């Protein structure tokens, strides 16, 4: 019961579940855990537009669904476009007095491919127009639902089925696209990174997103045991290692002000995070050193942004 008392800081009904058990997520999937937590905060007055991806496939195999909310399946590229259309329709219906003027959360959800690749144009347009909506990117760092193909959010050096390492290939040959900072560059009120391995940090950011008068963008690292080639019981641990190594820092951007929400006393070596992941096991010491240097630079840059934008 103690955990419920803590959850009451973020939600009026901590025991409510809006994604029912019995779905078809892989064992150890951190992505569905993220959704379960997020919707405890978002609550029943929520309309969800979800792009094709892992969570769409596991939650709604026709004719079944595990959603206890209004839920719309859209194509890979359309989550932000459909969510922004829903938000506009609600606003007009309120103005005409056809629906009660009560808070309704409009949420668009897509994976890293549906966000940083296929859906980027629609997302950019929705953020630019200023719709009052929450967009959640569930980032498991590849197109996991169709067979572990690389996306522009796949880390440098990682193995995927379309970035196989070999004599002439390191694996993924480009660096991870920085979607949170791309979203922040639209000058929207709220952007945050999160990971369900730090659940209360995550819940707090979802809560903040519901209170924003405009677009909010949440970028959620969702560990995928299947695609990362790790034991299913270690998904939460690898999320922590990603944060503690600086591979995936936890921060938020409120009206242009950057702030770390979790700052390790000192970063652990990225090698500690990468070892044990089958997708990185082909990398040499030299290549891991190169990745460490890149992470160090990105971490220092983030610290400078936090300092430079401090009120």
């Amino acid at each position: 019961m103690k955990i419920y008392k803590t959850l009451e800081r973020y939600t009026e009904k901590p025991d409510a579940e809006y994604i029912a058990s019995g779905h078809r997520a892989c064992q150890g999937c951190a992505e569905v855990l993220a959704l379960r937590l997020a919707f405890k905060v978002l609550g029943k007055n929520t309309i969800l537009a979800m792009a094709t991806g892992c969570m769409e496939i596991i939650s709604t195999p026709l004719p079944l669904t595990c959603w206890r909310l209004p839920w719309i399946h859209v194509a890979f590229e359309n989550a932000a476009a459909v969510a922004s259309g829903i938000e506009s329709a609600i606003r007009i219906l309120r103005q005409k007095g056809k629906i009660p003027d009560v808070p309704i959360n409009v949420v668009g959800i897509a994976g890293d491919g549906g966000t940083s690749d296929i859906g980027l144009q629609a997302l950019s347009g929705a953020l630019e127009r200023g719709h009052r909506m929450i967009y959640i990117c569930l980032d498991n760092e590849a197109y996991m639902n169709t067979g572990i193909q690389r996306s522009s959010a796949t880390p440098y050096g990682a193995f995927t089925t379309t970035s196989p390492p070999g004599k002439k290939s390191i694996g993924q040959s480009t660096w991870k696209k920085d979607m949170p900072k791309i979203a922040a560059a639209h000058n929207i009120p709220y952007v945050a990174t999160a990971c369900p391995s730090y659940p209360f940090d995550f819940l707090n950011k979802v809560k903040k997103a519901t209170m924003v008068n405009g677009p909010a963008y949440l970028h959620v690292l969702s560990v995928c045991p299947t695609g990362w080639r790790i034991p299913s019981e270690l998904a939460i641990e690898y999320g922590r290692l990603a944060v503690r190594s600086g591979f995936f820092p936890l921060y938020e951007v409120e009206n242009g002000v950057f702030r770390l929400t979790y700052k390790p006393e000192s970063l652990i070596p990225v090698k500690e995070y990468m070892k044990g992941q089958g997708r990185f096991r082909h990398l040499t010491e030299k290549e891991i050193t190169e990745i460490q240097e890149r992470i160090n630079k990105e971490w220092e840059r983030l610290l400078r942004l936090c300092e430079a934008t401090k009120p």
Side-chain angles (χ1 to χ4, degrees):
M1 300 310 290
K2 185 177 178 182
I3 186 70
Y4 278 2
K5 292 297 293 181
T6 307
L7 281 171
E8 285 174 358
R9 294 162 53 190
Y10 309 99
T11 176
E12 294 178 356
K13 294 185 177 180
D15 56 344
E17 301 288 354
Y18 297 99
I19 178 167
S21 59
H23 53 71
R24 301 182 181 188
C26 300
Q27 192 174 40
C29 173
E31 196 161 308
V32 74
L33 172 62
L35 288 185
R36 183 185 175 207
L37 291 173
F39 281 90
K40 281 184 177 291
V41 178
L42 293 165
K44 67 177 182 179
N45 287 341
T46 299
I47 300 174
L48 169 59
M50 176 175 277
T52 299
C54 287
M55 292 301 99
E56 173 263 327
I57 288 174
I58 65 98
S59 67
T60 55
L62 186 72
L64 306 175
T65 181
C66 65
W67 289 102
R68 293 167 170 160
L69 297 164
W71 179 94
I72 304 171
H73 171 225
V74 299
F76 257 122
E77 69 274 22
N78 291 347
V82 173
S84 62
I86 295 168
E87 189 270 345
S88 297
I90 290 172
R91 183 159 31 86
I92 296 300
L93 290 171
R94 280 188 183 132
Q95 289 174 3
K96 292 183 176 181
K98 293 190 174 183
I99 61 173
D101 187 13
V102 297
I104 299 174
N105 296 312
V106 178
V107 181
I109 294 180
D112 49 283
T115 299
S116 59
D117 296 337
I118 308 172
L120 182 56
Q121 181 177 346
L123 174 60
S124 178
L127 299 183
E128 178 197 0
R129 293 190 297 273
H131 294 278
R132 188 168 186 171
M133 55 178 272
I134 301 168
Y135 187 94
I136 300 176
C137 172
L138 297 169
D139 182 6
N140 57 22
E141 301 190 322
Y143 289 88
M144 300 300 184
N145 67 308
T146 52
I148 318 176
Q149 295 96 18
R150 56 83 64 190
S151 76
S152 58
T154 301
Y156 178 76
F159 161 86
T160 72
T161 55
T162 50
S163 61
K167 291 181 179 178
K168 297 184 179 180
S169 170
I170 190 173
Q172 169 73 351
S173 60
T174 58
W175 296 92
K176 184 181 179 79
K177 187 180 287 184
D178 197 341
M179 267 308 303
K181 292 198 182 71
I182 291 173
H186 288 75
N187 296 317
I188 61 175
Y190 191 69
V191 174
T193 64
C195 178
S197 297
Y198 291 82
F200 294 112
D201 177 84
F202 179 42
L203 290 165
N204 189 49
K205 288 168 176 172
V206 177
K207 185 73 173 178
K208 280 189 174 183
T210 64
M211 298 186 289
V212 166
N213 186 19
Y217 176 87
L218 300 177
H219 195 97
V220 183
L221 182 69
S222 309
V223 175
C224 173
T226 305
W228 294 20
R229 302 288 200 264
I230 60 171
S232 58
E233 69 272 19
L234 295 181
I236 299 303
E237 176 62 17
Y238 272 96
R240 291 179 183 141
L241 291 172
V243 172
R244 291 172 57 204
S245 65
F247 217 94
F248 189 86
L250 296 180
Y251 66 94
E252 61 186 4
V253 190
E254 287 189 86
N255 298 310
V257 177
F258 282 71
R259 186 177 74 86
L260 281 172
T261 60
Y262 175 76
K263 186 177 182 181
E265 289 187 11
S266 60
L267 297 181
I268 63 171
V270 294
K271 189 175 182 179
E272 294 298 310
Y273 166 61
M274 299 172 77
K275 73 179 181 182
Q277 295 189 48
R279 61 178 180 159
F280 293 126
R281 64 185 168 201
H282 58 278
L283 295 178
T284 65
E285 289 292 330
K286 179 183 177 184
E287 290 160 347
I288 292 174
T289 298
E290 182 185 0
I291 292 170
Q292 179 71 70
E293 291 172 352
R294 172 80 175 214
I295 296 297
N296 291 346
K297 287 181 181 177
E298 292 295 323
W299 177 254
E300 291 300 323
R301 180 169 176 261
L302 179 58
L303 294 181
R304 289 197 298 272
L305 278 171
C306 293
E307 185 62 30
T309 60
K310 186 186 296 183

